[in-house]
Structure formats: C-alpha cells, structure tokens
Amino acid sequence: MPLKADLDAIDWKILRELQHDGRMTNVELSGRVGISAPPCLRRVRRLEETGIIRGYRALLNAPALGLDVVAFCLIGLHHQADAELKTFAERTRGWPIVRDAWMVSGESDFLLHCVASDLGAFQTFVIEELASAPNVDTVRTALTIRRVKDEGLVAFSEARP
C-alpha cells in the first residue's frame, strides 16, 4: 500500500520517538533522530500541520483512578442507512463511559471501548443507555480480564526507514 504522506527516514524516526514519548524536549528528540534542534522542530511542526501528528495526550492509569472495568461492546443496529449510522456515531460522543468507538464491518455495526468504575456502572450503562438507544438491535459485551499489550496505534517495523 503506498504511503499517503511524503516522509523520509528522519520523519519516521521522529514519529517513532514521539509516539513512544510525546513529552520529550525538541533538543532530546533531535539528538535521538540525529539532526540539530531547529530542523527537527520544523519537521515536527510540518508533521503537526499536515495532520500526521494529531495531538499529544497523557496516558492515565484508569485503575489508579478507580476505573476498574474495561469492556468492549459490539452493537448491531436495526437500520444501517447513512443517517442512522451517523446518528448512532454522534450519540457515542455523549457517553463518557465510551472511550473509543469504531464503525465496523461484519455482524456488528459498531465496536465500543468502555471504561467504568465498577460492574454495576457498566451494567447500568448497557441496560439504561445503550440497549435502549434508538435503532439499537443487538448489544454483545465482553469484559476484559487484563491488558496484555499496550502499544501506540502505528506499528514501526524494520521495513520502514
């Protein structure tokens, strides 16, 4: 698959380093990728301006904050016309328990990543909010046992520069 962006080996190194640690200083980043600080900053700004770098976040420890339940919900809708899909997608934005939402293909229409304080809060959300939402036909849930991998969204292989 062809790349949708014109990136050289230094750009890939910058992306790899920032995905691993988005808080490092530009001076530290420039040292890690092997260029001086001013061109490194210009490259980072270009990656931000073109939307390749979408933003920066702190990764929070949910259990330390009392959010012990992580679950996934597969949602099937009665009707899958574009307007209904858009309406449900917009509805997910109003549910704080839903941390990530994906429209998917196959037997379900949406995959929701949910984080709750406890099983009761999750069950209440599923029964009172999710299952009773307009156009929702099926809700299948999967409670997680433990996270076994936590990487950035983009995999960097040795094949990339």
Side-chain angles (χ1 to χ4, degrees):
M1 174 189 304
L3 289 176
K4 295 180 180 181
D6 184 24
L7 303 175
D8 65 12
I10 299 295
D11 291 328
W12 283 106
K13 288 179 183 178
I14 289 170
L15 294 172
R16 184 180 297 118
E17 293 297 330
L18 286 177
Q19 183 172 257
H20 178 71
D21 179 5
R23 289 195 58 178
M24 75 177 72
T25 66
N26 183 59
V27 171
E28 183 178 349
L29 177 61
S30 67
R32 288 186 185 190
V33 301
I35 61 175
S36 63
C40 184
L41 184 57
R42 283 193 297 274
R43 284 173 178 262
V44 170
R45 286 191 175 141
R46 180 178 53 83
L47 293 166
E48 292 169 344
E49 289 165 2
T50 59
I52 292 170
I53 296 176
R54 297 186 307 127
Y56 302 88
R57 293 182 178 176
L59 301 175
L60 305 180
N61 181 337
L65 297 169
L67 299 167
D68 293 319
V69 174
V70 177
F72 291 90
C73 299
L74 286 162
I75 311 304
L77 302 179
H78 287 290
H79 308 285
Q80 291 81 22
D82 191 51
E84 282 87 358
L85 294 169
K86 287 179 180 175
T87 297
F88 185 82
E90 184 61 34
R91 184 176 298 277
T92 67
R93 291 180 183 90
W95 290 326
I97 201 169
V98 176
R99 304 314 305 155
D100 255 328
W102 296 87
M103 188 181 301
V104 296
S105 64
E107 293 181 23
S108 298
D109 299 304
F110 286 88
L111 173 66
L112 308 181
H113 171 211
C114 302
V115 179
S117 57
D118 55 48
L119 188 56
F122 176 68
Q123 288 173 331
T124 298
F125 165 72
V126 169
I127 294 166
E128 296 180 11
E129 301 270 347
L130 191 52
S132 64
N135 196 31
V136 170
D137 181 33
T138 60
V139 176
R140 292 182 11 224
T141 62
L143 294 172
T144 63
I145 296 169
R146 75 173 66 96
R147 175 177 262 165
V148 296
K149 185 174 181 178
D150 184 14
E151 298 291 330
L153 288 179
V154 177
F156 292 96
S157 68
E158 296 306 315
R160 290 253 154 84

